Amino acid sequence: MIDVEAKTSPATESEGRDVPLLRVRNIGIMAHIDAGKTSLTERILYYTGVNYRMGEVHEGTATMDWMVQEQERGISITSAATSCLWRGCRINVIDTPGHVDFTAEVERSLRVLDGAVAVFCSVGGVQPQSETVWRQARKYRVPVMAFVNKMDRTGADFTRVVHQIRDRLGVTPVPIHIPIGSEGQFSGVVDVITSEALVFEEQDLGVTVHRQPVPEHMRLALLQAREYMVECLAETDDVIMERFLADQEPGPDELRKALRRATLAGGVVPVVCGSVLKNKGVQPVLDAVIDYLPSPLDIPPVPGVDPDTEQAVTCKAGDNEPFVALAFKLMADPYAGKLVFFRVYSGTAKRGMIVHNPRTGKRERLGRLMQMHANHREDREKVFSGDIAAVVGLGNVRTGDTLCEPSKPILLESVTFPEPVVSMAIEPKTSGDRDKLILALEQLALEDPTFRVRTDRETGQTIVSGMGELHLDIIRDRVSREHNVEANVGKPEVSYRETLTCAAEANTKFVRQTGGRGQYGHVVIRVEPRPRGHGITVENKVVGGRIPKEFHQAIEHGLRETTEAGILAGYPMVDLHVDVLDGSYHAVDSSDLAFKIAASMALKEAARKGKPILLEPIMATEVTTPEEYLGDVIGDLSSRRGHMTEVEARAQSVRVVARVPLMTLFGYATALRSLTKGRAEFVAEPSHFERVPESIQKEILEEV
């Protein structure tokens, strides 16, 4: 095992720290739904001595699934943080949800983590949400190791999952363990680096690990796995390359150090395996976290900008550096109040200290500092560099805000979240609860950046938007249980988008004269459709002072506000570029308001000329079904305007991948159960927006 006792520079450490910074690991457990993330975390807490008993997800007793809704449904809904000790290292763990509706929880967790453990089902392999969380980890450059779980299940195939990791995720997986047997014969793992067999004692729930000689029938597989490891590392590591070219066998320590360097650089992904439910293979996961995933000192200095000068600046890990932290999650606690979860990148947080929020420009005082263990709290006087904790008393902080020393301001990159795709109307059952309902929804929207609340200007209805039907159902349930407000909800509806199909221009004046000073604004604009994912961009091409610079910002505000309201049916517009070409002003009557209104009127006029269309969300849908129902499943997906992209035969089932419009998937779970006698399952996640067929667009617009 790698030596983690190396000394850190005294300049980076402060008194009161129980574990040196080099021996801290901030990791996330991420995976597709039902791959075993929460069960793995429960075993980690048991083997590290945090819990005296193992909780089970299917029994509703898992420590990390503390919400009532999680216990009832047997799934994780929010990310939960905890901390434990292993081999003298402190491991801060965040257990993230696997359901696509709660992908924002994964996004904001990965933003502040140094490494991640990706859990894969040995039967399901790389599933749709596996690919999504992998992209999120790559987005934030988080080194990842893989754990292939459920090796005891019928149909388990370790080699197939390793190949899928390489082919579908585009990385180089390096197995450091290979399974001894599979399905009902799975009994342990072979350590490829030490050439030992690890067998887990069933009598004490896997606490005792027996290191034994490798079984004779596994020796060829061990030799092949070791040769593959050396070849992969030789491509990225000079030390192993020298050994490889000299035809020398690298030692275990050399292999571990090379594997660590390659993992931190993102060149390879270490792969371990086991069965969490059978308590086999969990301790090696902890060993691999310490040996191959980074400490805060292994992470490059975190980039940011000076909010005053907009110059690039960085902060580096160390207790004695200026304080910098990122707030990544908000939670309403019934006892403590508003909790703000934050990651300290540099410096030390102390109870009562004053911090600066560059987004608001205001200062705030840190209240109670707490180490969180799921929903249990442990008070702390200080939170050191590299730690993840929660604080009470920050009133104006949102998800993604930077907290820093007032004398050394810095603004870190915030967190980006996907747009909601499903909406529904909600209203209280009694008129007296209206204010309570609005307050409850606003509080939930503050916690969850992918949950939006708005009031329909035409009907006066309260409309809530989220990532899926389950997401909105959880919101309704929380409104009822946590805020004691009974509400009626409408049928979930699709959140469409609008765009244009051709370029157009508009020359618009806004003139009002009512006695005294009037209003005058005049703009000429050109709008052009742009490729998918472009967003909304505005470029001011006015020359010669035709419109004074002080009105340019008002024009842009007017344009952007109009794109949010849409032209056809009130849906946001996307993928447009707007050029402000010309205009004129009045020395007395022109104002910000006049130019804002003129810009809005111009965009509406140009958009009508640009032949606007509706775009609908398309879902990446994966159905796993017994082969005898394959024809029925494909036929049903086709009737829902689905486009099949892949059909893969597996040992006892067939995997069908399709792109299906969201509007046709409402109620699909019930239809699929009926179609396959309950033997098929499916998952779907937002993929992209596509043009709505003309006949269907006509129906939608008639209903609006």
Side-chain angles (χ1 to χ4, degrees):
M1 294 181 180
I2 290 177
D3 177 24
V4 293
E5 300 293 331
K7 303 294 182 185
T8 56
S9 167
T12 66
E13 308 285 334
S14 65
E15 292 185 11
R17 173 184 280 280
D18 59 344
V19 172
L21 197 55
L22 194 67
R23 301 208 311 248
V24 172
R25 301 289 184 271
N26 292 310
I27 66 162
I29 312 292
M30 63 181 197
H32 186 86
I33 189 170
D34 200 33
K37 300 175 303 302
T38 303
S39 297
L40 173 62
T41 310
E42 289 299 313
R43 267 62 177 181
I44 287 174
L45 294 178
Y46 180 75
Y47 293 132
T48 56
V50 175
N51 288 351
Y52 67 91
R53 64 181 292 274
M54 291 182 189
E56 297 291 357
V57 174
H58 58 272
E59 295 174 358
T61 57
T63 302
M64 307 303 277
D65 285 350
W66 57 270
M67 290 177 65
V68 176
Q69 292 85 356
E70 294 176 315
Q71 294 166 358
E72 289 178 347
R73 291 167 170 81
I75 61 171
S76 296
I77 293 170
T78 63
S79 53
T82 190
S83 183
C84 59
L85 291 170
W86 183 257
R87 280 174 46 194
C89 293
R90 176 165 297 284
I91 304 177
N92 298 315
V93 183
I94 294 184
D95 175 32
T96 65
H99 196 285
V100 63
D101 284 15
F102 310 106
T103 187
E105 291 287 333
V106 186
E107 184 86 23
R108 59 182 171 189
S109 298
L110 287 173
R111 171 65 182 84
V112 297
L113 292 170
D114 300 329
V117 179
V119 183
F120 299 93
C121 172
S122 62
V123 180
V126 177
Q127 297 167 285
Q129 189 65 5
S130 309
E131 299 182 45
T132 300
V133 296
W134 198 277
R135 286 195 300 270
Q136 291 171 313
R138 283 289 178 253
K139 173 181 175 182
Y140 295 114
R141 297 178 293 280
V142 175
V144 182
M145 60 166 283
F147 174 57
V148 180
N149 188 24
K150 303 187 180 183
M151 286 303 304
D152 61 305
R153 277 188 57 184
T154 302
D157 191 335
F158 177 73
T159 303
R160 179 174 57 82
V161 178
V162 172
H163 288 164
Q164 287 184 354
I165 292 173
R166 182 185 63 228
D167 298 339
R168 295 188 189 171
L169 303 179
V171 295
T172 303
V174 176
I176 57 177
H177 293 152
I178 52 177
I180 302 175
S182 64
E183 301 182 347
Q185 281 72 48
F186 176 68
S187 59
V189 299
V190 170
D191 189 324
V192 176
I193 293 178
T194 62
S195 299
E196 294 175 307
L198 308 182
V199 179
F200 302 87
E201 182 63 59
E202 295 186 9
Q203 300 300 319
D204 61 3
L205 300 177
V207 172
T208 304
V209 183
H210 300 287
R211 293 184 173 269
Q212 303 173 352
V214 177
E216 195 63 36
H217 70 278
M218 293 290 298
R219 292 197 172 276
L220 178 59
L222 169 63
L223 180 64
Q224 293 172 338
R226 193 176 178 88
E227 287 178 352
Y228 173 74
M229 175 184 289
V230 172
E231 289 174 8
C232 291
L233 293 178
E235 295 177 4
T236 61
D237 193 89
D238 293 339
V239 175
I240 304 301
M241 176 61 81
E242 289 178 11
R243 291 279 188 271
F244 183 73
L245 294 177
D247 203 20
Q248 298 174 349
E249 186 71 19
D253 285 344
E254 287 179 322
L255 285 173
R256 286 197 192 95
K257 289 176 181 177
L259 187 56
R260 177 178 179 81
R261 288 191 291 267
T263 304
L264 298 189
V268 302
V269 174
V271 184
V272 295
C273 63
S275 170
V276 167
L277 199 61
K278 300 296 184 183
N279 308 311
K280 297 176 181 178
V282 176
Q283 296 96 321
V285 174
L286 289 166
D287 289 334
V289 164
I290 292 170
D291 288 344
Y292 308 119
L293 293 184
S295 76
L297 292 175
D298 294 314
I299 302 299
V302 180
V305 296
D306 186 315
D308 298 325
T309 64
E310 296 190 355
Q311 296 292 317
V313 291
T314 59
C315 65
K316 60 180 181 179
D319 297 339
N320 299 318
E321 297 288 330
F323 175 72
V324 181
L326 186 77
F328 67 95
K329 177 180 169 71
L330 274 61
M331 188 177 86
D333 188 287
Y335 305 105
K338 177 183 172 184
L339 288 182
V340 176
F341 288 73
F342 65 100
R343 156 73 190 268
V344 181
Y345 282 101
S346 68
T348 303
K350 302 171 186 174
R351 187 171 182 171
M353 74 182 287
I354 301 297
V355 297
H356 175 66
N357 184 342
R359 180 184 63 82
T360 63
K362 296 180 180 179
R363 299 184 179 190
E364 303 212 35
R365 183 185 298 274
L366 298 182
R368 280 177 68 191
L369 296 174
M370 292 173 284
Q371 180 76 57
M372 300 298 293
H373 295 283
N375 63 329
H376 300 290
R377 301 169 295 278
E378 176 187 325
D379 284 330
R380 294 180 60 177
E381 286 299 316
K382 294 181 179 179
V383 178
F384 300 101
S385 176
D387 285 353
I388 293 173
V391 61
V392 177
L394 300 180
N396 295 314
V397 171
R398 295 180 188 168
T399 299
D401 279 359
T402 304
L403 305 173
C404 59
E405 282 190 15
S407 59
K408 297 282 182 68
I410 182 175
L411 183 63
L412 302 181
E413 179 189 358
S414 188
V415 192
T416 56
F417 298 103
E419 288 293 314
V421 295
V422 177
S423 301
M424 69 181 183
I426 186 170
E427 60 182 24
K429 287 188 176 179
T430 62
S431 57
D433 281 344
R434 181 165 183 79
D435 290 343
K436 285 176 64 178
L437 175 64
I438 296 299
L439 194 64
L441 294 175
E442 287 177 349
Q443 187 170 316
L444 291 171
L446 193 64
E447 291 182 27
D448 185 350
T450 59
F451 173 62
R452 308 281 172 80
V453 185
R454 65 179 175 87
T455 301
D456 190 291
R457 285 180 290 186
E458 294 183 4
T459 64
Q461 285 182 304
T462 300
I463 306 296
V464 293
S465 303
M467 298 305 297
E469 291 179 88
L470 177 61
H471 188 194
L472 294 181
D473 186 49
I474 296 292
I475 292 292
R476 181 201 55 75
D477 195 40
R478 292 186 64 188
V479 166
S480 172
R481 295 194 191 199
E482 297 174 20
H483 300 275
N484 297 316
V485 179
E486 292 299 322
N488 296 319
V489 296
K491 188 176 67 174
E493 296 179 353
V494 178
S495 288
Y496 295 94
R497 297 292 183 269
E498 299 180 13
T499 194
L500 305 184
T501 53
C502 63
E505 292 189 8
N507 184 337
T508 306
K509 285 184 181 180
F510 174 70
V511 183
R512 289 290 183 274
Q513 196 67 47
T514 56
R517 181 176 174 179
Q519 295 285 355
Y520 181 91
H522 172 212
V523 294
V524 179
I525 66 167
R526 176 181 172 82
V527 294
E528 295 177 354
R530 289 294 165 90
R532 181 194 303 165
H534 177 81
I536 302 292
T537 53
V538 177
E539 185 176 353
N540 198 307
K541 294 185 175 181
V542 178
V543 294
R546 299 276 294 170
I547 301 177
K549 285 187 177 179
E550 59 262 32
F551 299 130
H552 289 186
Q553 192 171 16
I555 292 172
E556 182 165 346
H557 283 171
L559 294 171
R560 291 192 180 276
E561 282 186 13
T562 305
T563 62
E564 291 172 6
I567 300 297
L568 278 175
Y571 297 109
M573 302 180 75
V574 295
D575 303 334
L576 294 178
H577 177 74
V578 186
D579 285 323
V580 183
L581 303 174
D582 199 3
S584 62
Y585 74 103
H586 189 281
V588 176
D589 291 350
S590 287
S591 65
D592 281 350
L593 179 61
F595 273 103
K596 183 178 178 181
I597 295 173
S600 176
M601 292 168 59
L603 182 57
K604 289 177 181 177
E605 181 185 336
R608 282 190 285 268
K609 296 177 183 175
K611 298 179 181 177
I613 58 169
L614 285 182
L615 302 175
E616 63 181 344
I618 303 297
M619 308 296 284
T621 307
E622 180 178 299
V623 182
T624 304
T625 177
E627 189 172 357
E628 63 256 40
Y629 302 111
L630 178 61
D632 293 335
V633 167
I634 290 179
D636 184 60
L637 288 173
S638 298
S639 71
R640 297 172 186 270
R641 295 194 284 122
H643 172 65
M644 258 49 66
T645 60
E646 186 180 350
V647 177
E648 177 192 15
R650 292 182 172 177
Q652 297 175 328
S653 62
V654 180
R655 171 176 167 267
V656 180
V657 181
R659 298 288 184 265
V660 189
L662 173 62
M663 70 175 295
T664 69
L665 282 180
F666 290 133
Y668 182 60
T670 303
L672 185 64
R673 280 196 295 269
S674 173
L675 203 64
T676 63
K677 296 183 173 58
R679 296 175 62 192
E681 58 183 23
F682 89 103
V683 290
E685 63 173 352
S687 173
H688 61 280
F689 283 83
E690 276 185 11
R691 181 173 183 168
V692 176
E694 197 168 328
S695 59
I696 296 175
Q697 175 172 309
K698 198 173 294 184
E699 293 176 12
I700 295 170
L701 295 179
E702 287 174 358
E703 292 175 4
V704 175

